[in-house]
Amino acid sequence: KQEVTQIPAALSVPEGENLVLNCSFTDSAIYNLQWFRQDPGKGLTSLLLIQSSQREQTSGRLNASLDKSSGRSTLYIAASQPGDSATYLCAVRGMDTGRRALTFGSGTRLQVQP
Amino acid sequence: ETGVTQTPRHLVMGMTNKKSLKCEQHLGHNAMYWYKQSAKKPLELMFVYNFKEQTENNSVPSRFSPECPNSSHLFLHLHTLQPEDSALYLCASSLPGSEQFFGPGTRLTVL
């Protein structure tokens, strides 16, 4: 059974810092990996999707990497801003073509101090 | 209206009530999902529908009954719920192999 772990569970940084969020998964046979942002009490906003054949994806100040063989992904946020404060979730989809659902980690709660 | 919408956004119900949650997607996707997010637990899958057919049921109790009349609409019918069913219920949609897009969720409180 796939398990997804995110470290750290919570992180507080001053504005302007570069930071890295970590995600690990136990079964390396994944189809893709997706990073989401969730604001308190709200739904999820998709940030980046990395297919299993890709090593990284970039969107603005965000860069996500994937090392499938070691079961790890990182989300790099450059020049953090108070508006980046949210919970960041990592989720993986398995290779089983009959199963589309994502397995989620518990998230990293990020607070960027002005 | 674009994206994935959910109604109602908030719902309070007693254990004997029957209510339904609605999800609608305007993205042309053919797969729709129900997820449950409880306090201090990871998001967990409940149901998956692909082209209106249920393809996954993650051992969800029968007091939750999904319905997918077409590829754009998904319902979750609720009856005889328990207080521990209080959670944020999230709907998502996708194309095959593509990223999932989520709605804003319905915050359910069972008294």
Side-chain angles (χ1 to χ4, degrees):
Chain A
K1 180 186 173 186
Q2 178 75 270
E3 292 183 5
V4 180
T5 303
Q6 290 187 246
I7 295 173
L11 182 63
S12 181
V13 300
E15 182 177 5
E17 273 204 8
N18 303 323
L19 55 101
V20 175
L21 308 182
N22 297 291
C23 171
S24 62
F25 44 95
T26 54
D27 184 351
S28 61
I30 65 168
Y31 189 86
N32 59 40
L33 182 146
Q34 202 167 346
W35 281 94
F36 295 89
R37 167 189 174 136
Q38 185 175 29
D39 293 285
K42 302 290 180 62
L44 277 61
T45 300
S46 179
L47 298 173
L48 291 163
L49 171 74
I50 310 178
Q51 301 292 352
S52 61
S53 58
Q54 298 175 320
R55 297 283 293 181
E56 66 177 342
Q57 283 286 342
T58 298
S59 176
R61 294 182 293 108
L62 305 179
N63 176 276
S65 68
L66 174 64
D67 184 343
K68 201 172 66 166
S69 61
S70 66
R72 293 179 184 176
S73 176
T74 61
L75 179 67
Y76 175 82
I77 303 177
S80 59
Q81 302 171 357
D84 294 330
S85 298
T87 296
Y88 290 81
L89 296 164
C90 164
V92 298
R93 181 191 158 187
M95 288 295 291
D96 184 351
T97 55
R99 192 163 195 280
R100 294 167 173 259
L102 297 170
T103 302
F104 281 83
S106 297
T108 293
R109 191 170 64 256
L110 173 65
Q111 182 73 35
V112 181
Q113 307 290 345
Chain B
E1 193 169 4
T2 59
V4 182
T5 59
Q6 290 187 243
T7 55
R9 295 293 307 278
H10 301 272
L11 178 61
V12 179
M13 60 187 289
M15 290 191 287
T16 59
N17 291 158
K18 289 185 180 181
K19 296 288 184 183
S20 295
L21 310 185
K22 179 183 177 182
C23 175
E24 185 172 359
Q25 58 96 1
H26 308 270
L27 301 168
H29 293 164
N30 52 29
M32 297 188 77
Y33 314 75
W34 279 117
Y35 288 89
K36 176 183 178 182
Q37 188 174 36
S38 304
K40 301 185 179 182
K41 289 178 66 176
L43 257 163
E44 54 183 340
L45 174 76
M46 300 177 73
F47 302 102
V48 182
Y49 277 81
N50 186 28
F51 288 103
K52 303 187 298 177
E53 298 297 321
Q54 187 182 128
T55 55
E56 292 183 55
N57 176 335
N58 196 27
S59 303
V60 180
S62 60
R63 58 185 184 269
F64 295 91
S65 175
E67 178 190 2
C68 188
N70 55 61
S71 292
S72 298
H73 294 85
L74 184 65
F75 296 89
L76 187 62
H77 304 299
L78 317 172
H79 63 97
T80 326
L81 294 193
Q82 305 297 314
E84 59 264 29
D85 296 323
S86 299
L88 181 67
Y89 288 85
L90 291 162
C91 172
S93 70
S94 76
L95 287 170
S98 295
E99 63 188 307
Q100 293 186 19
F101 291 85
F102 282 74
T106 295
R107 173 69 62 186
L108 174 67
T109 302
V110 182
L111 302 176

